[in-house]
Each structure stands twice: as C-alpha cells, then as structure tokens.
Amino acid sequence: MLEQKTVRMEQAGYIYRCVHRIMEGDCQCEHGPLYCEVGPLEADLYCVTNGMYLRFINESGYEPEDRVNYLKHWENGRYADEDEDKPVVNISQNDARAYARFYGKRLPTEQEWQYLAAGPKHLKYPWGNGKDYSRCNVYGKHIENADSHPEGVSPFGLFNMCGNVWEFTDEIHDDGMHSFITLRGGSFYTAGNYWHAEGGAIPNDSHLKVHVMSEGMDRFETVGFRCVREVLE
Amino acid sequence: MIREDSNGLYIIENKSLRITLDPAAGKIAGLDNLYSSDISNGGCELFLLDMHGKIFCSSDFDLKTDICSDEVFEMLTVNASLESELVRVRISLINDKNDTVSILYQVRDDYKYGVQTRMKMHLPLLERLSAGPECRKYYPGCAVRDRKGNSVLVPMRESLYSSDILMPLVVCDREDRYGYSVEFPTLSDLNNVGATQNINKLLTYIGSEDALENHWVEINPDSTFNDTAELKITGIKNGWAEAFRRVRSTWRQNYDLSEYEREDLSWMKKCVVNHFAFLYGREAFDGGKIDVDKLLSDGEAFGGYDSVTIWNQYPRLGIDSRNQWQFHDDFPGGREAVRDAVSEMHKRGVYVFLPYIPWDQGINVSAEAMSDEFAKLVIDTDADGYQLDTLIEIPHIFREKLDEIREGLVLQTQHHPAKKRPTEFITTSWDEFWRTDPMPEDDVFRFMCPEHIAPVISRWLRTEDKTTLIKRAEFGAAPIVIWQDIFGRWMPYTDDQKRMIRRWKYVYLENIDIYQGDDPVPLMPTFTQDLYCNSFGNSGGDSVILSFFNDSDKRKEEVSFRTETGVKDCSVILGEGFCRAEGNNISFDIGPFEVKHILISKDTES
C-alpha cells in the first residue's frame, strides 16, 4: 500500500491570481491579483488514497451523518484491491476535513494549493508551461494511482496536481444566498457537452466553482483531496 | 376578371386590385388599389436578373402570354425565354377573384455552362410600390423602427434554421388606410443562401428603403420550373392592422393548433407570475430541503407565484458522470423530497415545472430511453410539466409519454419553438431576450399565435433594466418569469418593481379574455412621435385594450388616437390618469416612459 509522504514548503510570498472558465452565474470570490504569503507547510505528495482512507476510518471510527454516495465505489466497507492506491473519491469536503483533522492536518487553501502546484515561477502546469498531457491523467477512462506520472510532479514534487482527480480546497464561500466551494486541478473525466462543467487538464491558476447543497450531492466520483500541515516556527 | 383591352394590355381585376400587364414590353403597366381612386402605380419591369456577367430585364426575354381559369382562380401566365442564356422565367399572376393576386416567379436554368451559375434577382414592383405622397411603409424585416434605430417588432429566433413567420411589405397612404399588402408566403424556413429554391425568406429581410431599392437576392434555380419568389398582393383599406391580420391568417392556415385547445393544458393560461427556482440558493432551498413556504411567501410580494420551475442540475452537471436523472436521486431526500415539495406547492395552487437538460445525455441514448426517464420523473414527483431548457423542438414521443401518465402535463421551452411540428405541440415558451434596453419591443410570435403563452424574461437585467423588463411584459400584455437567482448570482427585484408586477398580474387576470384574445395587433399607427401602441382583443368582440408606451422623457398631453371602431366608453386600467372618448378617437395623457392600458368598449352601433 502506498504510504503518504510529505514535502516541506518554506514560507514564501507571491502574487496570487486565479481565473476560471465556468458557465453562467460566474464566481463570487476573491480572485486576485493580490500579494499573499503561504507556508511554511508540510504538504502531502499524494492525494489521499482509498487505502489511507480506510485506515483513517478504522483508526478514527469516522462515520458521516449523511451517507448518501459516501464511498459508493466501495463494497462491504472496502475498496476493490486494484483501487487501493488510487485517490479516494465519493467523499465530501467535510469527509476530507475530518480525515485531515484527525491527523492534525487541514486542506490547503486556494493560495497554498496554487503555489504548491505552480511554484515560485508561476508555472502553467505542475511540470512546466508546456501542454505535455502525457505527464498527467486526462482524457482517460479511469482514475490512476496517486503516485502515477512522476514525470508530471509540481516544483515541490507533488503528484497529479493536474488531472486524475479534482481536489478540494479548504475554502467554503458564502455570499449570504449561496454556499460554494472551489475545486482545483481537473480530472481524468471530461463530460460530453459544451454546457457541462469542464474537466480534463486544468491549469494551475484556474479553479471551478461548485455550489454545495448536501453531502450526497457534493460527493463526486472525480474529486479527491490532499492535506497540508502547518509548520510552527 | 382578366381581360385584354384594345391596346393589347391585359387587365387583372378583383375587388381590391387592378393589375395591368403589357405583355409586349414585359412590364407591369399599372397597379391600382380599387378602394381608393388616389392610389395607383405606374409601370415597371416584371423582373431583373443578374447572371453570366450581365443584367437582363424582362423585356430582354421572348414573351408569350396565356390565360386560363377554373372555379376558384384565374391565371395569366407570362412565359419568358432567353435562348442565349438558356434561362426561362415563368411568371404566373393568380387572381383569387376576391381581393388578392399572387405573382409567382419561377426561374428555370438549363445551365449554359453545364453547371449552376450564380444568379441574382430584383423585383422592381417591390421597389416602386407606392400609396401616394408621404406614404407609410412597413418593411418586412423591420416594420417599425424606434428612435434609436432598433426594430420594434422582434422577429422569431434567427439561426441556420428558423421560423416560417414572415412579415409582409405594407405600403399605405399617410392616413395608414389605403394601400397594399405584399405577403411572401413560403413553407421553407431555412435562411442560408443557396439552400432553397424559394427566396421569399430572404426577401423578408428587407428592412429599409435602401434595402428595398437595392435588393438583389441570390436565387437558386434548377433545370425545372420551381417557385423562386412569390408576391401575394392585396389592396387594403385598413393599413398595417389589416395587413398584419392577413399575414397571421395565412400563417395559421398551415398549422394544426388543436393542441392549444386542450382543456387539460389550459392552466398555463392563468399563470402570470412564473418563478424560476435555482435550488442551490437560499431563495428556494434552505434547511436541507426546498423551502416551499419561504419561496411562496416571498412570492406574495409579486402577487403570488402561479408556477415554479425547479432547477437543480446545470451548471453543476459534468464534474462527474452523474446525469440529470441521478441528480434527482441524489437530491436531499431523493425524488420523494421533490414530490413532497411539489405536493406542498399544489396545495397552495402553484404548478411545478421540472427541468429537462437536453444536452445531458450519452451519445448512445435513444429518444425512447430518454423519454422513459422523462416520464418516470413526472410519475415520481407528480410535477405538472417540463421546462425544456434550450430546446426549440423535441421528438413528439416525449409528448406522447407524458400523455400516457395523466392529463394536464405541459411542455415549455426556453425559446419559442421554431419548426412547425414543435410549435404545434409545445404550447408555451419563454419570450427570452438579452437586450438590456428592450423597450419599445414586441415579440412577433405573441401576436401571431396568442394562444401560445410566452412569459417574458431576460435573465441578466440589473435593477434599472428590470423595470424596463416589466414594462415590456405590460406593453406586450404578457406574463413574466421571476428569476432572481441566476445560477448563483443573486439579482433581486426592488420593492417598487414587485409592486409593479403585482399590479400587472391583477390587471392581466381581470382582463384575461381580452389580453388572450385571438386578435392582437402589434404597433398600431399612433401618428405621434415616440408613442407606440398594441391592440388586444377578440375578433368580433365588444371590447379592446390598447397598450401605449411613451418612449420619451417628455410627458405627452392630450394625445389623440384613432381607434378602429367607434368608442362607447374608455377607461385607464394600467397607468395613471384619465382618458376621453370622442367618436372614433380617444385622448389621454401619458407620462415619460410610461406604459398605459386603456380599455375600450366599442360602439357597435356607430
């Protein structure tokens, strides 16, 4: 079973700017440009896998109140053997937060996630500025292992920050009338129509707004997560 | 009657028209409106053709003339042949022996160069048509233009395929009474050059005097005689209103509108304030469920919602493989929760539309399979119909599947259905537009097919524009869609606007039979600058409502308006102030940018 590894990201400042390509309704949150400081952090190299998540359940006894779609790809409380090292999906942002909290971690903020993916040089994709999609899992048919595509790691060595599965970030926005979260990185899946939410290879500086409604609605087959731990100096 | 006079001229005559043809010269020698001795037109070529690098006129052709008749029609045919270019034109003047003569042009190209070559046609009759000094013209592509230059009568949605609703060219005297109506009948609704032999659709794009004078329309003849252009000409005596009624009648003759007579679908006719509920916002969803009580209580400020469209998929669809049907399964509480909300709305007299996302289907999904899912969702939720999103058509099997469930299930599209068959069975659609200054503006479909209920909506309008949106609904006497949460952007109405809508709903329902009558006419002539008028009523009815809009920042006082009939009584039912009746005229004041509705009781004895 793949074990999580972390990398240290020292404190750094950068000019954060995020864009998006979403359908109607647009995105009501701060997108920069603004100067921000991130770190120091320890960041997971991999998205949390099915194997890691099962261990979390066993160790924590975590049980969500609303189980709709919760780990719906598992059977009898366990994933298929071949899925052990694939990122866990069909979990909500709250499920992901519970995991992170149990291990003294949290989800990365958008600013942290973007810096971890793009590094100080503002790379367009984790591996560089070129559109070399052979370095990631996009336009594929299924999720790959969390440690696949070592040739596509980010400047900090994080795996699969583009494609494979979307990743939750820590924020939840509320404008008084709606709550929404933002996803990062894209996924292997691309829906068929112009009006569908986009998938595939999403650049480091782009996010996808997703309105939240309920745990069941908000557990996706294509969204996973990784964690960070704040380093106290 | 067709006769040949002593000068060898042919004269075609009915009760409204006299057309004189000079067969030797290949010209129309005269066109007269027989209702008025003042209105006549001089001679012009029958046609011009631009082909093979040169312009030819009808007099360049060898011409032969024939006359024939049957019980209904009489016909004068001019066979024009130009041997050097291997082109023939057959012009048939078909007299209905009543009030209309159709001039049908059929061009046959026997391919001088072995293949089709480019040809353009000009019809001088259109260009020359006049009804005397200061005559008024309503161009088919733009009947009335406002002071900003915008067309006030908005055509049906135009794209590669489009509607067969085509406006006439109307030329009438300065009083808007005597003149001519030229309809361009065609069943073809394709508008790309080259697709069809009949170019009438392209002729209806003529929207100005310049375009009329210089129209050279590409034609697409083959090596047989087929319809190239057709001018259905009538002498009129009641101006634009008469011409509009005629073109509406022509259009409706081709449509089976019996679906609109279904009693079980008629509930939509009383839905004035229709709400669009984006379920990812707290306007309609709170505490883990559709908050029906809050939603409908908020709706009271608008006069109460009559229907609600629930929307819980787009723009979230596509992040993973879950489809629109699964979104209902995953909805908090599943389909049962949707059913509970529908039930709660039904108890409060509110109808519910479900969302249908036509583009969210796999590549191998058949219409049969989709329509099964479509029907099942209605069974599971007991909703009252579907909002069909971007569709302008849907296979009829969807209608059939709904009818198998129960009566009363209504189909509604986001845009007006365009094709004939969908128009016949999709009985309601939004009148959706995108302009931010949509006044003065009329939706032509509302006047061509008044039984098709089309609530007005423009989703992105901001506060000031929303007032204009309400005025557009009032001016066109249409219901409205209240959409405040546009996929996550909260754009509410102000309290004043809610009051306007509440008032409009009250007035609309109080006079619903007149507003939904079978004889609405857009843009009645007002002879007052920046003043526009629509007329609503029933043919043969004893009341009519005139809807006025003052498109200026100046108050207009003592406006006088000539009605079509005598006036027994009149009263302002929407707007401020009084009105007075004098014979066939009414007079009233109207404030800046005000919409005013005046109810008129006709003096049927006058």
Side-chain angles (χ1 to χ4, degrees):
Chain A
M1 181 178 122
L2 181 68
E3 294 295 335
Q4 187 62 275
K5 294 177 186 170
T6 62
V7 64
R8 181 182 170 102
M9 182 189 82
E10 299 298 340
Q11 185 176 27
Y14 80 108
I15 297 172
Y16 169 81
R17 186 182 175 199
C18 178
V19 294
H20 51 250
R21 187 203 331 256
I22 65 171
M23 304 312 290
E24 295 161 278
D26 230 307
C27 187
Q28 291 74 23
C29 65
E30 175 66 74
H31 291 76
L34 53 82
Y35 183 79
C36 67
E37 292 192 345
V38 292
L41 294 173
E42 281 182 2
D44 288 356
L45 287 189
Y46 313 120
C47 280
V48 172
T49 64
N50 286 300
M52 296 174 196
Y53 201 83
L54 178 59
R55 185 162 61 200
F56 155 67
I57 292 171
N58 291 336
E59 291 176 355
S60 68
Y62 176 72
E63 182 69 30
E65 278 186 31
D66 180 345
R67 290 186 57 87
V68 174
N69 287 336
Y70 179 58
L71 299 170
K72 71 177 182 184
H73 60 299
W74 290 17
E75 287 185 9
N76 302 318
R78 188 179 171 83
Y79 48 83
D81 289 345
E82 62 271 26
D83 290 344
E84 183 168 76
D85 293 336
K86 293 178 181 175
V88 65
V89 291
N90 293 314
I91 38 88
S92 69
Q93 188 194 46
N94 286 328
D95 300 327
R97 281 203 172 116
Y99 176 100
R101 192 162 50 243
F102 184 75
Y103 293 114
K105 299 181 176 183
R106 61 171 171 78
L107 301 178
T109 65
E110 287 218 84
Q111 294 173 356
E112 291 164 349
W113 193 99
Q114 187 160 317
Y115 192 73
L116 286 164
K121 295 191 182 304
H122 291 263
L123 297 180
K124 192 74 174 170
Y125 295 98
W127 57 82
N129 288 318
K131 294 177 286 187
D132 184 357
Y133 298 148
S134 69
R135 294 170 184 258
C136 61
N137 176 27
V138 294
Y139 313 131
K141 295 196 182 309
H142 51 74
I143 298 171
E144 295 180 352
N145 285 349
D147 62 346
S148 65
H149 295 290
E151 71 282 12
V153 297
S154 79
F156 292 98
L158 276 62
F159 283 70
N160 283 309
M161 296 196 84
C162 177
N164 211 24
V165 293
W166 290 96
E167 296 183 28
F168 288 118
T169 55
D170 195 46
E171 285 92 344
I172 182 160
H173 301 277
D174 197 308
D175 64 1
M177 287 299 292
H178 317 86
S179 291
F180 64 91
I181 59 176
T182 49
L183 304 179
R184 288 285 187 156
S187 81
F188 74 96
Y189 178 76
T190 303
N193 191 279
Y194 169 84
W195 293 102
H196 280 121
E198 69 173 340
I202 303 298
N204 292 328
D205 63 349
S206 183
H207 68 192
L208 178 69
K209 172 190 179 184
V210 179
H211 285 105
V212 294
M213 172 178 272
S214 66
E215 294 293 276
M217 287 294 294
D218 304 337
R219 292 184 176 114
F220 298 89
E221 302 156 350
T222 54
V223 182
F225 69 102
R226 75 180 73 224
C227 304
V228 296
R229 186 198 312 271
E230 293 182 22
V231 177
L232 299 177
E233 294 291 273
Chain B
M1 178 186 68
I2 300 179
R3 60 186 167 86
E4 184 178 4
D5 71 7
S6 57
N7 297 318
L9 301 178
Y10 286 99
I11 297 164
I12 306 167
E13 194 170 307
N14 57 35
K15 70 182 185 188
S16 85
L17 282 177
R18 180 191 302 122
I19 298 179
T20 307
L21 189 78
D22 183 346
K27 290 184 176 179
I28 294 174
L31 174 61
D32 306 311
N33 179 317
L34 298 183
Y35 296 126
S36 169
S37 57
D38 297 332
I39 298 180
S40 61
N41 285 264
C44 64
E45 296 280 347
L46 274 167
F47 62 85
L48 301 179
L49 279 180
D50 181 350
M51 59 183 175
H52 308 157
K54 190 177 172 187
I55 293 176
F56 299 89
C57 58
S58 44
S59 54
D60 295 328
F61 284 60
D62 292 328
L63 302 165
K64 289 181 182 166
T65 308
D66 285 319
I67 296 174
C68 62
S69 66
D70 63 15
E71 289 184 19
V72 178
F73 299 106
E74 54 189 15
M75 181 167 73
L76 188 156
T77 304
V78 180
N79 289 292
S81 173
L82 191 59
E83 195 58 37
S84 63
E85 306 304 317
L86 293 184
V87 169
R88 284 177 274 179
V89 184
R90 187 166 68 193
I91 307 108
S92 305
L93 290 83
I94 308 165
N95 184 9
D96 71 354
K97 301 190 223 178
N98 180 31
D99 58 11
T100 299
V101 174
S102 293
I103 305 181
L104 176 64
Y105 296 89
Q106 295 171 307
V107 181
R108 170 178 173 155
D109 178 11
D110 284 313
Y111 309 145
K112 179 178 182 181
Y113 300 107
V115 294
Q116 291 93 338
T117 52
R118 196 172 184 185
M119 290 188 191
K120 292 181 180 179
M121 192 173 206
H122 179 86
L123 301 174
L125 179 62
L126 295 178
E127 173 195 345
R128 302 279 179 83
L129 203 57
S130 171
E134 300 176 51
C135 74
R136 299 167 62 92
K137 290 193 180 181
Y138 298 83
Y139 303 102
C142 182
V144 175
R145 205 177 286 278
D146 69 11
R147 60 189 160 83
K148 292 166 282 190
N150 298 315
S151 177
V152 182
L153 192 60
V154 178
M156 290 286 282
R157 176 188 171 93
E158 293 289 335
S159 59
L160 178 61
Y161 53 97
S162 187
S163 160
D164 58 5
I165 290 179
L166 306 177
M167 287 295 101
L169 171 68
V170 182
V171 179
C172 48
D173 63 8
R174 72 182 79 172
E175 298 293 321
D176 208 284
R177 291 182 190 275
Y178 300 104
Y180 307 94
S181 164
V182 184
E183 294 180 36
F184 301 90
T186 175
L187 298 182
S188 172
D189 47 29
L190 290 170
N191 57 11
N192 53 334
V193 174
T196 59
Q197 295 164 330
N198 190 318
I199 60 163
N200 269 9
K201 175 88 180 174
L202 303 181
L203 288 171
T204 63
Y205 291 157
I206 293 172
S208 66
E209 189 61 26
D210 183 58
L212 189 64
E213 287 178 5
N214 300 299
H215 75 269
W216 277 98
V217 180
E218 293 212 30
I219 63 172
N220 314 290
D222 296 305
S223 59
T224 52
F225 283 114
N226 279 289
D227 297 359
T228 303
E230 183 174 0
L231 314 180
K232 186 179 171 189
I233 306 174
T234 308
I236 55 175
K237 54 186 175 183
N238 191 27
W240 159 256
E242 179 184 341
F244 182 82
R245 289 180 174 116
R246 284 178 176 276
V247 80
R248 179 173 61 205
S249 174
T250 303
W251 177 79
R252 293 172 68 90
Q253 282 170 5
N254 294 310
Y255 277 68
D256 174 7
L257 299 173
S258 56
E259 189 88 353
Y260 290 89
E261 296 168 10
R262 281 178 54 172
E263 188 62 32
D264 63 308
L265 305 182
S266 66
W267 56 263
M268 185 61 205
K269 294 184 177 179
K270 292 187 178 173
C271 291
V272 187
V273 180
N274 303 277
H275 185 268
F276 185 93
F278 182 60
L279 295 185
Y280 294 94
R282 289 177 198 125
E283 181 193 25
F285 185 92
D286 214 355
K289 69 182 188 69
I290 300 173
D291 193 339
V292 173
D293 188 54
K294 175 176 178 293
L295 177 67
L296 298 189
S297 296
D298 290 348
E300 293 302 317
F302 294 91
Y305 300 141
D306 301 305
S307 81
V308 171
T309 297
I310 58 173
W311 200 266
N312 62 331
Q313 299 119 329
Y314 172 81
R316 264 193 48 156
L317 280 168
I319 296 171
D320 60 15
S321 68
R322 285 180 292 175
N323 63 32
Q324 58 183 308
W325 315 114
Q326 292 165 318
F327 265 49
H328 289 284
D329 299 328
D330 287 355
F331 190 75
R335 297 186 181 207
E336 192 62 35
V338 178
R339 187 182 184 89
D340 290 345
V342 170
S343 172
E344 209 173 328
M345 286 198 244
H346 282 173
K347 284 177 188 164
R348 296 178 64 162
V350 177
Y351 295 91
V352 182
F353 285 102
L354 294 166
Y356 174 62
I357 312 293
W359 42 263
D360 183 58
Q361 61 180 51
I363 55 175
N364 295 320
V365 179
S366 66
E368 182 80 33
M370 281 297 275
S371 57
D372 282 341
E373 294 278 12
F374 187 83
K376 184 169 190 313
L377 186 61
V378 171
I379 294 169
D380 290 345
T381 62
D382 198 31
D384 304 291
Y386 269 102
Q387 161 55 246
L388 301 173
D389 194 43
T390 53
L391 287 179
I392 54 174
E393 58 185 334
I394 193 170
H396 192 258
I397 190 172
F398 285 74
R399 175 73 260 174
E400 293 165 22
K401 290 283 173 67
L402 292 189
D403 285 337
E404 288 171 9
I405 299 169
R406 65 172 170 84
E407 292 186 329
L409 298 171
V410 169
L411 293 176
Q412 181 178 64
T413 45
Q414 179 186 343
H415 306 290
H416 295 329
K419 279 285 180 184
K420 177 174 177 287
R421 188 67 185 122
T423 302
E424 291 172 330
F425 70 84
I426 297 174
T427 53
T428 169
S429 60
W430 288 357
D431 171 19
E432 185 171 33
F433 55 89
W434 310 94
R435 277 178 60 188
T436 55
D437 57 343
M439 278 294 276
E441 200 169 83
D442 273 332
D443 167 28
V444 69
F445 193 49
R446 189 259 179 266
F447 295 87
M448 294 291 281
C449 190
E451 54 273 79
H452 183 98
I453 301 300
V456 168
I457 175 63
S458 186
R459 65 184 67 171
W460 297 118
L461 296 188
R462 289 171 177 260
T463 301
E464 302 82 352
D465 307 323
K466 279 188 164 68
T467 300
T468 315
L469 173 75
I470 298 165
K471 290 181 179 179
R472 191 182 188 279
E474 293 172 342
F475 182 56
I480 193 167
V481 177
I482 305 302
W483 189 355
Q484 301 185 106
D485 191 346
I486 302 93
F487 304 129
R489 177 180 284 159
W490 177 240
M491 302 179 75
Y493 283 82
T494 66
D495 289 344
D496 283 345
Q497 290 166 339
K498 292 174 185 175
R499 275 192 290 275
M500 280 179 75
I501 293 168
R502 192 165 66 229
R503 171 71 180 160
W504 169 231
K505 177 178 176 178
Y506 173 80
V507 171
Y508 184 90
L509 288 176
E510 283 289 297
N511 301 281
I512 191 166
D513 291 341
I514 301 175
Y515 285 128
Q516 294 184 1
D518 64 1
D519 187 30
V521 178
L523 303 174
M524 302 288 285
T526 68
F527 304 99
T528 301
Q529 191 172 7
D530 298 328
L531 183 70
Y532 300 89
C533 174
N534 294 321
S535 172
F536 302 97
N538 284 289
S539 48
D542 55 10
S543 299
V544 65
I545 294 173
L546 298 174
S547 153
F548 292 95
F549 175 62
N550 174 9
D551 186 30
S552 78
D553 58 4
K554 302 281 191 308
R555 182 176 184 80
K556 296 183 187 299
E557 297 185 344
E558 291 294 318
V559 173
S560 179
F561 179 83
R562 184 189 77 207
T563 66
E564 292 188 285
T565 61
V567 181
K568 186 162 65 179
D569 190 21
C570 65
S571 59
V572 174
I573 57 172
L574 185 72
E576 303 298 326
F578 299 93
C579 63
R580 289 189 303 278
E582 293 173 25
N584 282 10
N585 290 339
I586 57 169
S587 61
F588 55 92
D589 296 349
I590 185 166
F593 303 110
E594 182 185 1
V595 174
K596 174 166 284 184
H597 285 206
I598 296 177
L599 173 63
I600 290 174
S601 299
K602 295 179 185 174
D603 185 357
T604 51
E605 293 177 3
S606 69

